[in-house]
Amino acid sequence: MASSSSRKAWHCLLTLFLLSSGAYGQLSPSFYARSCPTLQLIVRATMIKAVLVERRMGASLLRLHFHDCFVQGCDGSILLDDVGSFVGEKTAPGNNNSVRGYEVIDQIKRNVELLCPGIVSCADIAALAARDGTVLLGGPTWAVPLGRRDSTTASMAEATTDLPPPSFDLTMLIQAFEKKQLCPRDLTALSGAHTIGFSQCANFRDHIYNGTNVDPASAALRKRTCPAQPPNGDMNLAPFDVQTQLVFDNAYYSNLVAKRGLLNSDQVLFNGGSQDALVRQYVANPALFASDFVTAMIKMGNIKPLTGTAGQIRRNCRVVNS
């Protein structure tokens, strides 16, 4: 058992070393330093406006980036609309009527195109928006490696199989993340994104009515707006973190220790398994969580990017260039 966990720890460290040594892809935070020097100012200004209109949008765009990267890599494929015979990923089970913020990405793209036409990919805009959404809700900042290009394809099949559903147990989650070269520590740190935002009743109904590792008072609160019988209330929202719903902090992990995780896939991180000790560390040490979250976000942002001459720079994030 110890040797298995040691191997996983070494895998985590090796991936981090490759990433930090520059051997992990061709992305660089300074990729647009000459071709579009005002890029990050444009993204930040547009994000500030969006978050002022609706604070939840910071969480929504963080999630959009995650759902992009887990399907075909971080290539902007999630942004493609179904057009004619082209089938995108927006109607996949994990995305349909769930992923949001496409209009904000569109607005950022329009603003960027005014100053830097044909230069910046939609995939990079999504990565920057995720970082800024985190920062604007009080979370850590990081230098986003850039230089991704946009896909000309999308995969409904991969979106259906590779986005982990809320029903997954810990073993399934670890396998889903390892498939993307993310280790269990990355899984637990990235799950901390659920310190902000909301989920729909359909995603947590089974957990609050049938789960065995649920605080009864927390379940009773959730049942008020999430009826037992589907499809009643399927799209009713509840916050992942009751205390600080739209503040990026480490309260998510305190909730797990108190058995107040909203989704089954949240609570399995603290249920007598391999991640319990790390969850307790994040409760005690917010700076450790912030540091691990940044490391994991950079690793996730490096999943199979298109670089060089692969893919394209879409003019409109919703459609492939004609």
Side-chain angles (χ1 to χ4, degrees):
M1 189 73 181
S3 62
S4 173
S5 60
S6 297
R7 278 198 303 274
K8 286 176 179 174
W10 274 109
H11 173 255
C12 217
L13 287 168
L14 178 61
T15 309
L16 178 59
F17 167 74
L18 290 171
L19 186 62
S20 60
S21 67
Y24 200 86
Q26 302 159 338
L27 307 183
S28 164
S30 61
F31 186 83
Y32 299 107
R34 290 187 177 178
S35 59
C36 189
T38 56
L39 169 63
Q40 306 221 19
L41 288 172
I42 299 168
V43 176
R44 179 63 60 93
T46 315
M47 281 296 297
I48 288 171
K49 186 176 179 183
V51 170
L52 283 172
V53 170
E54 184 194 18
R55 274 184 72 82
R56 180 185 168 207
M57 191 53 71
S60 297
L61 287 166
L62 177 55
R63 182 166 180 258
L64 184 149
H65 180 49
F66 172 83
H67 281 232
D68 183 31
C69 291
F70 260 59
V71 181
Q72 293 194 167
C74 310
D75 61 358
S77 59
I78 194 174
L79 303 171
L80 291 169
D81 284 342
D82 293 357
V83 179
S85 61
F86 183 91
V87 179
E89 298 162 12
K90 290 182 177 180
T91 54
N95 295 335
N96 194 32
N97 294 319
S98 176
V99 171
R100 57 200 296 276
Y102 300 115
E103 298 80 7
V104 178
I105 298 294
D106 292 339
Q107 187 60 58
I108 296 171
K109 177 66 171 174
R110 282 193 293 269
N111 294 347
V112 170
E113 287 294 301
L114 288 173
L115 288 174
C116 313
I119 300 292
V120 181
S121 69
C122 300
D124 276 344
I125 285 172
L128 287 167
R131 189 272 312 275
D132 285 1
T134 302
V135 172
L136 292 171
L137 296 184
T141 190
W142 62 95
V144 178
L146 300 166
R148 302 168 189 81
R149 288 169 64 85
D150 296 321
S151 68
T152 56
T153 62
S155 177
M156 169 65 85
E158 198 174 319
T160 303
T161 58
D162 285 21
L163 291 170
S167 58
F168 267 19
D169 64 23
L170 182 57
T171 300
M172 294 169 174
L173 286 172
I174 288 173
Q175 289 172 347
F177 275 67
E178 286 185 337
K179 186 177 178 180
K180 307 298 176 184
Q181 282 72 56
L182 296 168
C183 63
R185 191 179 189 99
D186 300 323
L187 157 66
T188 302
L190 288 170
S191 296
H194 285 177
T195 184
I196 51 176
F198 297 78
S199 189
Q200 297 176 3
C201 164
N203 293 326
F204 60 82
R205 177 184 280 118
D206 187 60
H207 181 56
I208 62 172
Y209 283 98
N210 304 314
T212 56
N213 54 343
V214 187
D215 170 59
S218 177
L221 176 65
R222 294 286 148 251
K223 288 174 183 177
R224 290 183 196 170
T225 54
C226 185
Q229 195 61 42
N232 298 326
D234 270 7
M235 296 183 72
N236 290 354
L237 296 175
F240 283 108
D241 168 10
V242 179
Q243 299 94 317
T244 53
Q245 301 175 7
L246 291 169
V247 176
F248 195 101
D249 55 21
N250 67 332
Y252 169 79
Y253 299 102
S254 303
N255 287 331
L256 297 187
V257 172
K259 297 188 176 182
R260 291 197 296 260
L262 183 61
L263 307 179
N264 177 72
S265 53
D266 291 319
Q267 195 56 56
V268 294
L269 297 176
F270 190 86
N271 192 32
S274 62
Q275 300 306 292
D276 283 22
L278 183 57
V279 168
R280 288 193 185 278
Q281 286 180 49
Y282 289 161
V283 172
N285 190 342
L288 176 65
F289 161 53
S291 172
D292 282 1
F293 180 79
V294 164
T295 297
M297 282 297 293
I298 293 171
K299 283 175 68 175
M300 185 182 79
N302 272 276
I303 298 174
K304 290 167 62 179
L306 298 172
T307 58
T309 57
Q312 61 182 204
I313 303 298
R314 279 185 223 139
R315 289 186 292 273
N316 175 344
C317 292
R318 292 174 179 264
V319 291
V320 174
N321 295 345
S322 54

